[in-house]
Amino acid sequence: MLDFFRNHQRLMMFMLVLVILPGLGFVGIQGFRGFFDESANVASVNGHKITRADFDSRMRQQLDQARQMLGAQFDPKIIDTPDHRKDILDGLIDQRVVADETQRLHLTASDDAVRRAEMSSGIVASAKNPDGSIDLDRYKQTLAMMGMTPEQFDESMRYSLSLQQLQGSIVSSAFTPKSLAQNLTDLAEQQREVQGLAFHPADYASKVQPTDAQLQAFYDAHKSDFATPATAQIQYLVLSPATLAAGVTPSDADLQKYYNDNIAHYRTEGEVRASHILIAVPKDASPADREKAKQKADQLDAEVKAHPDQFAKIAQDNSQDPGSASKGGDLGYFGPGMIAGGKAFDDAVFAMKKDEISNVIQSDFGYHIVKVTDVKPAVTKPFADVKDSIAKDLKTQLATKSYTDDADGFTSLVYEKSKSLQPAADKYKLQVQTATVTPAPNSALPPDSPLNNAKFLAAVFADDSLKQHNNIQAVDLGNNALISARVTDYKPSAVPALDAVKDAVRQKYVAEQSAELARKDGAAQLAALEKSKATTGFSSAVKVSRNNAQGVPPAALSAIFKADGGKLPAYVGVDLGSDGYAIYRVNSVLPAAPADPQRLAAAQQQIASVEAQSQAEAYVEALRARSKVKYYGSLGSAQGDSN
């Protein structure tokens, strides 16, 4: 099909004109553009669009997480399925309906809650110095790498805390009766004394002596098991910021301009280290209570002014800030806006000198008396110290910009010059690489190798690529990377002659037949034991529980606990597949030992957590049911509205 398009481009352009121009007469230019704009969205919730970029970002995030967890066993086809893609979209829709409900209920988070959450976040932790102070320059750079400013981080954290309030209210109200926790704990820890009798396939292998006719019949019935995979020798190009970076060299003038334009990134704002005494005043305090608190603050202010060397002790005895009182009021190092005292607090503190004690400062939290114990002036790193770092950052930025500028051109060029990748390699200064690939990912390659991308491999082994040896259309690998390839040689999947794989055929035949003999022998023995109730041949007795299997296979453990405990001894047989067959004799049922209060409380909490999660999911389902949800069909899902 693609080859037909390439060879009849003028005809195809004429046909497109015939199709498109009349359409414009019906819907108008603006309507036509609006029709195609929907391709950028996958769904909408109450009018809020969920963009394909949002979906692709979440999809890449899950693929990256799976890749990190599974390593060499990672197979993107396990994650990138229609069902899983729909699950991801449903998750984005659920997130949106919760956000809408949060907004409807006017839920928000206080400045103090935002500050506490930020201080416990990994971002702030990574920017802390050994003395506990925060390196503001490093903090801003970390946020910049994530595409955020400190202000955007504040709002992101506030938004996250607001969303948590809905689920938090449901979780906090979940309750599980102690009796239910006790019953489930008893079931989990109930023990059964069992003895095992195994029938291993290896013990039956010598009884399997296949004839040539049997091997031929087995081979004929299982030819696909012995087939060699199809292989394609390819040339390929990868366009990404990394491959384009080699051709990007910023000049000294570019580096100096970048430094001047981003001087704030290399400036460490001034910090102070201070201790304070807080006399707290609730927001709903009466005028009389406020006056009483002010008098107390004035009294302490006079006391520390008279005895400045006693500030820490006075703070420890009198400050009503639980976070700092035990440390003599020490707040550590901080910059403007990092202490939730407001503008009046910052204006007073950052105007003070070392060892100076403030007058009483009023904030939203009450009255403060502050002693500045150290002052760090603002420092700007000189250009020479950060030149190498700027060169690296700027090179990455320019390469990323080049990728953005070149992606469409690369895609068009490998399509138009379909018989060679060299024009694209020459234009974008890329290296043509070679490889041999199969339709399935190669476990010997890194999981994130572009040669293991499922869409790429599908394109390589498409008819147009294999028969016409045309360049495949550029495949988006995600994370700003495109790949195109051209097949130079192809070997289809082939089934070797029986003589070439006879040993493998024999081995597989013997294994299957040995397992079958073990199963038959085991089933016959089980029937005899159920009549005789014999104990001979069994292993020593062991006590197993659902929490402690003692090496018993999961399938066997399930069968053991399904046996009727009121009719003992009981015999159960379990087909273990290629591992053969096993019989277990259940001798007795031992009740669980009384659970200690701590374990019972933990079990009760776990069950409550499961119940809370179920209630939270039901709540989200209810929100979704009353929301206007529209699918655009971008993921292959049914189009339509849901109310």
Side-chain angles (χ1 to χ4, degrees):
M1 179 64 73
L2 292 177
D3 188 55
F4 177 82
F5 289 163
R6 291 191 179 98
N7 297 331
H8 301 83
Q9 290 186 22
R10 296 186 65 182
L11 173 62
M12 296 308 299
M13 290 298 296
F14 178 71
M15 292 177 64
L16 286 172
V17 169
L18 291 178
V19 171
I20 292 175
L21 289 182
L24 292 177
F26 287 108
V27 302
I29 298 291
Q30 192 62 38
F32 191 78
R33 181 182 302 135
F35 173 80
F36 278 100
D37 282 346
E38 292 296 6
S39 66
N41 304 311
V42 291
S44 67
V45 180
N46 299 325
H48 299 286
K49 297 293 191 295
I50 298 176
T51 67
R52 173 162 288 281
D54 294 333
F55 175 84
D56 288 344
S57 176
R58 183 65 60 87
M59 185 72 189
R60 284 195 298 271
Q61 183 183 30
Q62 294 205 7
L63 285 170
D64 289 342
Q65 290 174 347
R67 184 179 292 114
Q68 292 174 5
M69 291 175 60
L70 299 177
Q73 280 70 47
F74 171 71
D75 183 355
K77 290 187 292 186
I78 298 175
I79 302 294
D80 194 2
T81 64
D83 287 344
H84 190 70
R85 294 174 76 85
K86 185 178 184 303
D87 288 342
I88 291 176
L89 179 57
D90 286 340
L92 290 170
I93 291 172
D94 291 346
Q95 186 176 356
R96 183 68 253 178
V97 299
V98 172
D100 286 352
E101 184 68 3
T102 299
Q103 186 175 9
R104 188 184 73 81
L105 296 175
H106 304 292
L107 299 178
T108 187
S110 67
D111 291 342
D112 190 46
V114 171
R115 176 179 173 271
R116 287 198 305 269
E118 289 180 347
M119 293 301 290
S120 62
S121 71
I123 294 175
V124 172
S126 66
K128 281 189 177 181
N129 294 317
D131 61 1
S133 62
I134 297 175
D135 186 331
L136 290 180
D137 186 40
R138 199 184 331 150
Y139 171 69
K140 292 177 181 177
Q141 287 181 354
T142 301
L143 289 177
M145 291 172 62
M146 301 171 63
M148 286 193 294
T149 65
E151 292 75 18
Q152 289 171 329
F153 182 49
D154 289 346
E155 290 310 307
S156 172
M157 189 64 73
R158 191 184 309 279
Y159 178 72
S160 177
L161 291 173
S162 300
L163 292 182
Q164 291 173 17
Q165 292 183 49
L166 278 176
Q167 187 168 3
S169 62
I170 296 173
V171 171
S172 62
S173 64
F175 172 75
T176 298
K178 186 175 180 180
S179 58
L180 175 60
Q182 181 70 65
N183 291 337
L184 292 177
T185 301
D186 288 346
L187 284 174
E189 297 187 357
Q190 182 195 86
Q191 292 183 317
R192 295 197 168 192
E193 184 186 271
V194 299
Q195 294 173 274
L197 179 59
F199 297 82
H200 301 292
D203 297 335
Y204 297 83
S206 61
K207 298 180 181 180
V208 182
Q209 300 294 331
T211 65
D212 287 345
Q214 288 173 323
L215 291 179
Q216 182 69 56
F218 185 82
Y219 168 79
D220 292 340
H222 300 84
K223 281 186 177 181
S224 60
D225 294 346
F226 305 102
T228 59
T231 59
Q233 292 183 10
I234 62 169
Q235 296 175 333
Y236 69 97
L237 289 178
V238 175
L239 183 81
S240 68
T243 58
L244 292 170
V248 176
T249 305
S251 66
D252 286 347
D254 292 333
L255 300 179
Q256 184 67 58
K257 183 178 185 303
Y258 185 90
Y259 175 78
N260 294 338
D261 292 346
N262 298 275
I263 193 71
H265 292 170
Y266 307 105
R267 176 182 175 84
T268 301
E269 298 294 338
E271 290 185 320
V272 300
R273 183 170 188 171
S275 300
H276 81 148
I277 300 170
L278 171 67
I279 302 302
V281 180
K283 289 185 178 181
D284 57 352
S286 66
D289 288 339
R290 288 183 179 276
E291 180 59 29
K292 184 177 179 181
K294 178 64 167 59
Q295 291 176 3
K296 175 67 172 177
D298 288 338
Q299 173 192 337
L300 292 172
D301 181 47
E303 187 174 346
V304 296
K305 294 277 179 60
H307 305 282
D309 58 323
Q310 297 295 310
F311 189 98
K313 185 176 187 312
I314 296 171
Q316 191 170 5
D317 293 341
N318 296 275
S319 179
Q320 295 171 354
D321 176 6
S324 67
S326 62
K327 297 181 288 187
D330 183 26
L331 296 170
Y333 285 94
F334 57 89
M338 296 182 65
I339 297 294
K343 185 175 183 300
F345 184 91
D346 279 356
D347 289 347
V349 171
F350 286 95
M352 295 167 61
K353 299 177 181 178
K354 183 178 179 180
D355 294 329
E356 186 176 353
I357 297 176
S358 72
N359 294 322
V360 175
I361 304 169
Q362 184 176 357
S363 77
D364 292 340
F365 300 97
Y367 298 100
H368 307 257
I369 304 158
V370 181
K371 179 180 180 180
V372 172
T373 55
D374 195 14
V375 176
K376 289 184 178 180
V379 176
T380 301
K381 295 178 181 178
F383 174 70
D385 290 355
V386 295
K387 181 178 179 181
D388 290 344
S389 174
I390 291 175
K392 182 178 178 181
D393 292 344
L394 188 55
K395 189 170 186 174
T396 299
Q397 289 184 21
L398 292 174
T400 301
K401 183 179 184 303
S402 293
Y403 172 82
T404 303
D405 295 340
D406 296 340
D408 289 342
F410 175 84
T411 300
S412 298
L413 188 55
V414 296
Y415 175 76
E416 293 166 0
K417 303 294 184 180
S418 60
K419 295 300 183 182
S420 175
L421 293 172
Q422 200 59 49
D426 293 341
K427 181 173 182 178
Y428 300 107
K429 298 180 174 59
L430 302 173
Q431 180 183 358
V432 177
Q433 303 180 71
T434 61
T436 300
V437 296
T438 64
N442 184 354
S443 60
L445 293 175
D448 58 352
S449 169
L451 300 180
N452 273 348
N453 182 278
K455 292 181 181 178
F456 168 71
L457 292 175
V460 166
F461 286 92
D463 284 348
D464 184 62
S465 177
L466 297 178
K467 295 179 180 178
Q468 304 300 326
H469 294 281
N470 289 323
N471 299 338
I472 69 169
Q473 293 190 61
V475 174
D476 188 351
L477 299 171
N479 296 323
N480 289 341
L482 294 171
I483 186 172
S484 181
R486 179 174 174 271
V487 176
T488 58
D489 190 29
Y490 169 68
K491 292 182 180 179
S493 174
V495 179
L498 174 59
D499 289 343
V501 291
K502 195 166 187 177
D503 288 342
V505 173
R506 181 187 300 275
Q507 184 177 6
K508 189 174 181 66
Y509 178 86
V510 170
E512 287 194 9
Q513 292 301 310
S514 298
E516 181 61 25
L517 289 176
R519 281 192 290 273
K520 288 181 178 178
D521 201 2
Q525 186 70 12
L526 175 64
L529 288 170
E530 287 176 336
K531 294 179 180 179
S532 67
K533 305 297 181 183
T535 61
T536 56
F538 284 94
S539 64
S540 300
V542 294
K543 295 175 182 178
V544 299
S545 69
R546 291 180 175 88
N547 291 334
N548 186 0
Q550 298 281 7
V552 173
L557 191 70
S558 175
I560 288 168
F561 278 92
K562 286 180 180 177
D564 188 349
K567 298 178 181 179
L568 300 178
Y571 296 86
V572 294
V574 186
D575 184 350
L576 299 177
S578 61
D579 290 330
Y581 195 87
I583 299 174
Y584 290 90
R585 186 179 195 270
V586 183
N587 297 326
S588 61
V589 175
L590 307 173
D596 64 75
Q598 288 185 343
R599 290 180 63 188
L600 188 59
Q604 192 172 359
Q605 185 175 3
Q606 288 178 346
I607 298 167
S609 177
V610 172
E611 175 64 18
Q613 182 65 29
S614 176
Q615 291 179 12
E617 290 174 359
Y619 178 70
V620 173
E621 282 296 322
L623 292 180
R624 185 165 172 165
R626 69 173 189 236
S627 299
K628 179 82 172 173
V629 179
K630 180 178 181 181
Y631 297 93
Y632 293 114
S634 303
L635 306 176
S637 57
Q639 295 183 11
D641 292 342
S642 173
N643 294 296

